[in-house]
Amino acid sequence: MLQSPDGMRRCAAAMVLGELSPKEPAVVRALGEALKDANQLLTRYVLEAFESIGSRAVVPYVLPLLDAEDVETKLRAAGIIARAGGAMVGELKKQFEKANPAQKRVLIDILARIHSRESMQIILDVLFDTDFELVKEACQAVRRHITDAGQKDRLVLHRQVVKFMKGSRAKKNDRVLTSCLLLVGYIGAPDARNILLKYSTLRNLGYIRRNALIGLTGLQLTGAAANSVARQMFKYLGEPDPTIVQLSLDIIEKLPLTGSLDGQWRRLLKSKHPNVRAFAVRRLAAHDNAAGNRLMMTLLKHPDSQIRDIAT
């Protein structure tokens, strides 16, 4: 039926095979051959059958669909290839080396779903590419798919990235280092906090610090770790760089801080940065107590209109 000249019969055959999920090589081959001249409807049913079969043998037939104009077809093909796992990384690397820029973006997305050392190494090597958009997509692909990785895989990938960024080649390229800092933050292993804090200090260049702070914004921190990061961020709120200041505020805002910090918020009311003053007022206004209410009354006369509005 898959070879029938009747398109509906071919679709029906693919649907039935999808329900039966046979893994015989002859069935996979027949479905793969049907893809060569398939219309969009038949392609969908064949891919559904491949998803149901779940065999790595389907991948060679699906790879050409990464160039499909139909977005749904392309994404479905990418998902099938990614589920084939680490066994396909060697083939994906060969495809990547001869791919055009658009194809490379699709392949990077697939590699980021696999969560193996081999796939991550290809992504890390991409960080040296002169195509900045490709480098950015590589980092974003890791960010999109890392939530599907288990804690053990995350720890392995974290150690791999850290080792890579400490290598002589990466150390000589600040753009690679900044990308690695983002990856450390996206992967979110327990040790990420200490590494990112190290690169956020004043001894580092501004753009390295900014990427370290961006990495910190993605971490889920609690307890002593959250308070430790907050103490460091408070130190940055007086700096002249408005981006450093805003990133530090973003991090503080996400942290589940413990203990009374009214004294800290009151000190920040004197900040030279309007956004810091506004942030401090919002934190103080969140606590309904006599001292806080008296402070809000005095802030109604503050020269900064934003402060007056929040106090109101």
Side-chain angles (χ1 to χ4, degrees):
M1 287 177 66
L2 279 172
Q3 298 173 354
S4 171
D6 185 333
M8 294 307 296
R9 288 173 66 85
R10 299 178 77 193
C11 288
M15 289 176 64
V16 171
L17 290 171
E19 291 295 323
L20 296 174
S21 305
K23 301 185 185 296
E24 287 82 357
V27 175
V28 172
R29 185 167 55 252
L31 286 165
E33 291 295 325
L35 273 178
K36 292 181 179 179
D37 60 349
N39 59 25
Q40 191 168 331
L41 183 61
L42 178 57
T43 297
R44 189 179 80 184
Y45 288 129
V46 171
L47 291 180
E48 286 179 359
F50 279 165
E51 287 171 339
S52 179
I53 291 170
S55 168
R56 293 172 180 167
V58 308
V59 172
Y61 300 106
V62 176
L63 278 170
L65 295 180
L66 296 178
D67 292 329
E69 293 183 5
D70 179 60
V71 176
E72 181 184 353
T73 299
K74 184 181 295 187
L75 292 175
R76 203 157 204 168
I80 291 170
I81 296 167
R83 281 191 291 276
M88 291 309 303
V89 171
E91 179 60 33
L92 291 172
K93 184 176 181 180
K94 291 178 186 177
Q95 294 285 330
F96 188 86
E97 290 169 352
K98 59 185 180 183
N100 62 41
Q103 292 169 332
K104 285 183 177 181
R105 283 162 175 73
V106 176
L107 291 167
I108 280 290
D109 187 82
I110 296 171
L111 289 163
R113 301 185 197 195
I114 295 175
H115 310 309
S116 72
R117 295 178 65 89
E118 294 77 17
S119 61
M120 178 56 77
Q121 189 57 54
I122 297 173
I123 292 172
L124 291 174
D125 290 339
V126 166
L127 302 183
F128 288 99
D129 200 289
T130 55
D131 183 348
F132 177 70
E133 290 303 316
L134 180 61
V135 173
K136 187 163 67 173
E137 174 56 30
C139 294
Q140 288 303 313
V142 173
R143 184 182 189 181
R144 283 194 299 273
H145 299 298
I146 195 63
T147 53
D148 299 326
Q151 288 301 317
K152 184 177 180 180
D153 286 336
R154 284 191 181 210
L155 185 58
V156 170
L157 296 176
H158 167 80
R159 288 171 176 166
Q160 183 179 2
V161 173
V162 172
K163 181 179 180 181
F164 177 83
M165 65 189 282
K166 290 180 178 179
S168 58
R169 190 176 173 216
K171 279 184 175 180
K172 296 175 183 177
N173 191 318
D174 285 345
R175 196 185 74 176
V176 172
L177 174 60
T178 55
S179 296
C180 286
L181 292 172
L182 294 179
L183 294 180
V184 168
Y186 296 155
I187 294 169
D191 189 44
R193 168 176 60 97
N194 295 326
I195 292 169
L196 294 170
L197 281 176
K198 172 186 172 183
Y199 283 98
S200 74
T201 60
L202 279 165
R203 68 171 67 108
N204 298 289
L205 295 172
Y207 56 88
I208 292 176
R209 298 183 67 203
R210 286 190 286 274
N211 275 38
L213 291 172
I214 292 171
L216 278 167
T217 60
L219 299 183
Q220 302 298 317
L221 301 170
T222 58
N227 291 332
S228 172
V229 169
R231 285 193 295 272
Q232 190 70 28
M233 295 305 105
F234 284 133
K235 296 177 183 178
Y236 300 157
L237 296 182
E239 294 191 19
D241 185 334
T243 304
I244 295 290
V245 171
Q246 186 57 57
L247 287 169
S248 301
L249 281 178
D250 293 342
I251 292 167
I252 294 170
E253 189 164 22
K254 285 187 59 180
L255 295 173
L257 301 177
T258 57
S260 175
L261 291 170
D262 280 8
Q264 180 68 60
W265 306 134
R266 286 173 180 264
R267 285 191 291 274
L268 291 177
L269 289 175
K270 301 176 182 179
S271 171
K272 60 186 176 183
H273 298 292
N275 55 337
V276 175
R277 296 195 300 267
F279 180 84
V281 175
R282 284 195 294 271
R283 283 301 177 104
L284 288 164
H287 301 288
D288 187 9
N289 54 52
N293 292 336
R294 286 194 298 271
L295 176 62
M296 291 303 115
M297 292 295 293
T298 64
L299 292 178
L300 292 175
K301 298 179 182 180
H302 198 281
D304 186 331
S305 61
Q306 187 179 13
I307 300 297
R308 295 198 302 271
D309 290 343
I310 297 171
T312 302

